Amino acid sequence: MERLLLAIDGNSLLFQAYHAFYKVNLTTRDGFPTGALKGFFTKFFELLKLEPSHVLVAFDVHQPTFRHERYADYKLGRKPADEDLKKQMPVVRELLRSMGIAVIECPRYEGDDILGTFARRAEAAGMDTLIATGDRDSFQLITERTRIYYTKDNSIVDKAALDEKYGLTPDRMRDLKALMGDSSDHIPGVSGVGEKTALKLLSEYGDLEGVLSHASEIKGKLGERLINEAENARFSYWLGTIATDAPVTETLEDCRFSFEKTGAAKQRLYELELNSIADKLPGGETAVQADDAVPIVNTVAITDAEGMQRALDSLLHCEKIAVTVYPSLAFAGSPDTAYILTAGETLFDACMDEDEAYRMLGAFLLSQDKTLLAFDAKTFYHRCGFDADRLPKLAFDAMLSDYLLQSNRPVESYEALCRMWLKTEKASPAYLFALYPRMARAIEENGLASLERDVELPLLRVLYGMERIGFMTDETVLHMLHTRFSGTASELESRIYEQAGERFNILSTKQLGRILFEKLGLPSGKKTKTGFSTDADTLEAIAPLHPIVADVLQYRFLMKLDSTFVEGLLKQRDANGRIHSRFMQCVTATGRISSTEPNLQNIPVRTPEGREIRKAFIPSDGNVLIGADYSQIELRLLAHISGDEGFINAFNSGEDIHSRTAAEVFHVPLERVTGEQRSAAKAVNFGIVYGISDFGLARNLGIAVPQAAGYIRRYFERYPKVQAYLKESVARAKDRGYAETLFERKRPLPELSASNYNVRQFGERVAMNMPIQGTAADIIKIAMVRVDRALREGGFKARLVLQIHDELIVDCPRTEADAVMKLMQDAMEGVASLSVRLVAEAKCGESWFETK
């Protein structure tokens, strides 16, 4: 039995999808925009859940229609589609056709006309139709068998819903448009008549002709306009009527839908990096070109310890062992055979204990001195429980190589990596033998071999050691902080209730908005779809207007500090009181290391309360903590990279850089620099690194925009090569398509060619900042490798336990403290030879708090 025709307005859905992802600037790794495609096909597959028997997608033809033939100004003034959207238009058609979907266009007619024509054909064939569109004009097509899926609010509109919303039947929707017109389509209507007036007229007089025949009875200018513009209204009625007899050559049979056929687009979607959409499609392995083909792999299941031992015995003569850990342990000693830990053939077969399998493989790698190929080697190390001082030789980590090649879009899984490089949907560990030479060649061609060999691979070992050791914490201090923070928050809560005159949920955006903006009458600023915004920026702007606002900000801060950090740390301590944060090496596009579970970089140390949390981090028994960090590393790098002699001399003079900059910029003797001038110079110094605007500087300093612009102008007058560097860095990145650090780490910048102005501006700021911030990240990584190596080679028991921003923390025996402090300073300062000396400052203490 024929069931349902799903008729989709392709142009409407594609435009809506594009603007939904407009600010995200979603692209492939090589910069091809995909936001519209992602949004379109996400909604497309949601609609397919309705199980239609027939599907079509209608598109406008980019040429004049029969409406233009009578009215040349039809749709006059519409802005042309953005370039990023234009690039995706042919691709969406290509993908739909490959899925076996009927893509229908008709010369001289619009997509709406195609939808109307097929809706009537479907009715004649005894079928129901659901038209998916964001265009309200289609409401005129509603019948007992034709409904509208209105994509702007995801509602189903039938006759009853239309009557409830407008009090009109479908036919009267044309009358509504005839009266009120449509500026987006340049349909005139009757001047001065909006939707409210048009609906009132139709409720009184029935339809357009009824309104016009009674125009003389309507008082005032409205009646005059209806009389004088009657022909405009009738012409607008014609323009707004959707044709239901377009000469479309395709038939309903051409629209018959088979979900299995959609699988033909799977590989193309993977190539466009729309993996989540491709994963929804049926179909398995796709054909690949001969040059990209990977060998057929014989897969052997391991279900018990005997099977595991047989697999290891077969690898005795293999030089390299390839390992993956997701979704379960899998390994190979050659490109043609892989071993996978799995359950038996039936549900009753027991699977070998996974921890035991990892232990056996780890012991084998070490005892046989095998070289490892892996994807996410650090996770494999943890599963094996290796001692941090004794790890297998690691030749290749595909996750690391991928990150170096595409730092802004690293793959989310080994499967995705295999799809990208080998054009296969399978993810055998044996494929690492094929990936190794291919990715190594790409690393070499991109000038990244030294960075991978000398920095990232050795760093992986260092990070693993830090994660294994963990950071000792003091439970007593944490409980003390919890008592203090929760007590202060309780006092603030009472004060807020008193000022509000009632109790409410302070952490509820809706309830707080009602109190601040309705009851207390404070200016509300921006409003979201769900109500008043109460974000930090909004509250900080109105804080001077009422004391309750500052109390709310402090209350929220303390509650987050207590729940996220204090209570969070108490829960994450192991049996020995240590916190084992995970250090993420393949996340940030700049190359910086991030941490998680817990994220120690998020502790708000710029506040007194946040800094207190550092008191809970303490050394092991009998030890002290040594903290060493770089002094103003990013400004020193800016001086070096720009080559500005004045800036370089300001550093090399040994004086306070911000005071020296203030003296230069404001033309005053160094000893007469005021605190305000130094603060301004400091804000400009750091702001320049991030491409700050005069508006941004004005906001940071709380001064007028012209005054901030003057600061920046004088800064560039004094340090002209800094300004030249900023311009050159953008031009160079546009030419190359990426920004680069001094150590040749690259960050692709597709944002620089985006049609969205704000996205392009972001790309330009990154082009200015990446060579500086990325080089600083490289330097701290190299310092970590050097410090760790020096500690081990020197026979020290001290070990790195934390890296955060430009700071290293070492847990050190007291007897080694003096020697380790010197070792850290020497290792950190010797990382690079610059025109401005790298300076590292080390300090010893009984807690992390005392090392700062």
Side-chain angles (χ1 to χ4, degrees), residues 654-673:
E655 297 163 328
D656 176 75
I657 184 62
H658 303 309
S659 295
R660 167 55 62 185
T661 300
E664 299 282 1
V665 169
F666 295 108
H667 307 294
V668 297
L670 182 64
E671 64 274 9
R672 296 185 63 184
V673 169

Side-chain angles (χ1 to χ4, degrees), residues 1-8 52-57 100-104 114-131 145-146 244 246-258 261:
M1 178 180 176
E2 303 299 345
R3 294 172 296 164
L4 175 67
L5 167 66
L6 173 62
I8 298 173
S53 57
H54 295 67
V55 178
L56 72 87
V57 182
I101 305 298
V103 175
I104 303 179
I114 297 169
L115 298 173
T117 298
F118 271 90
R120 296 299 174 258
R121 288 184 184 181
E123 287 185 22
M127 293 174 61
D128 290 333
T129 299
L130 183 68
I131 297 174
R145 305 208 68 158
T146 298
T244 56
V248 183
T249 57
E250 291 85 354
T251 66
L252 276 172
E253 187 59 30
D254 294 323
C255 303
R256 189 175 292 278
F257 173 67
S258 168
K261 291 183 179 179

Side-chain angles (χ1 to χ4, degrees), residues 585-845:
Q585 196 173 355
C586 302
V587 174
T588 66
T590 59
R592 279 187 176 272
I593 299 167
S594 61
S595 74
T596 184
E597 299 176 11
N599 182 355
L600 299 180
Q601 295 184 355
N602 268 3
I603 297 175
V605 294
R606 293 184 179 179
T607 65
E609 297 88 350
R611 286 193 292 274
E612 290 283 301
I613 293 175
R614 288 186 168 186
K615 291 181 178 178
F617 289 85
I618 60 174
S620 305
D621 288 344
N623 286 10
V624 291
L625 294 180
I626 297 174
D629 63 354
Y630 283 110
S631 172
Q632 301 169 327
I633 186 171
E634 291 188 354
L635 294 182
R636 292 173 186 272
L637 287 170
L638 176 60
H640 172 78
I641 293 174
S642 68
D644 189 282
E645 294 84 358
F647 205 29
I648 291 170
N649 291 336
F651 265 112
N652 290 339
S653 65
E655 297 163 328
D656 176 75
I657 184 62
H658 303 309
S659 295
R660 167 55 62 185
T661 300
E664 299 282 1
V665 169
F666 295 108
H667 307 294
V668 297
L670 182 64
E671 64 274 9
R672 296 185 63 184
V673 169
T674 66
E676 181 183 355
Q677 288 171 331
R678 185 186 182 280
S679 295
K682 182 177 180 180
V684 178
N685 269 331
F686 285 113
I688 290 297
V689 177
Y690 295 91
I692 199 167
S693 65
D694 49 9
F695 176 80
L697 181 62
R699 183 176 57 187
N700 290 350
L701 292 176
I703 60 177
V705 173
Q707 186 179 0
Y711 287 171
I712 294 174
R713 185 186 68 255
R714 289 196 294 272
Y715 184 94
F716 285 142
E717 287 173 354
R718 185 61 190 89
Y719 303 135
K721 286 189 178 180
V722 172
Q723 184 175 31
Y725 155 73
L726 296 176
K727 292 179 179 178
E728 289 166 7
S729 64
V730 173
R732 189 182 305 112
K734 285 181 178 178
D735 181 57
R736 296 176 174 180
Y738 61 84
E740 187 176 44
T741 72
L742 291 181
F743 296 89
E744 298 186 88
R745 183 185 302 276
K746 296 168 178 62
R747 174 175 178 172
L749 282 173
E751 295 90 347
L752 291 174
S753 59
S755 60
N756 183 323
Y757 172 79
N758 290 329
V759 172
R760 285 200 311 277
Q761 288 292 297
F762 168 77
E764 291 184 6
R765 289 194 298 273
V766 173
M768 298 176 196
N769 173 250
M770 170 61 186
I772 299 166
Q773 191 178 48
T775 298
D778 289 340
I779 286 174
I780 195 69
K781 285 181 171 181
I782 297 170
M784 292 174 71
V785 172
R786 290 191 174 195
V787 168
D788 180 78
R789 183 181 298 134
L791 290 174
R792 295 176 190 279
E793 291 177 353
F796 292 96
K797 293 182 179 179
R799 289 291 181 266
L800 276 166
V801 292
L802 180 64
Q803 183 273 330
I804 179 168
H805 306 308
D806 304 322
E807 176 185 6
L808 300 181
I809 302 292
V810 165
D811 192 351
C812 176
R814 292 180 185 276
T815 56
E816 297 179 356
D818 290 341
V820 170
M821 287 178 70
K822 184 177 188 309
L823 178 152
M824 292 178 72
Q825 283 185 286
D826 290 345
M828 293 172 72
E829 293 181 351
V831 166
S833 178
L834 307 174
S835 56
V836 175
R837 187 171 72 89
L838 283 176
V839 175
E841 300 170 345
K843 187 178 179 182
C844 186

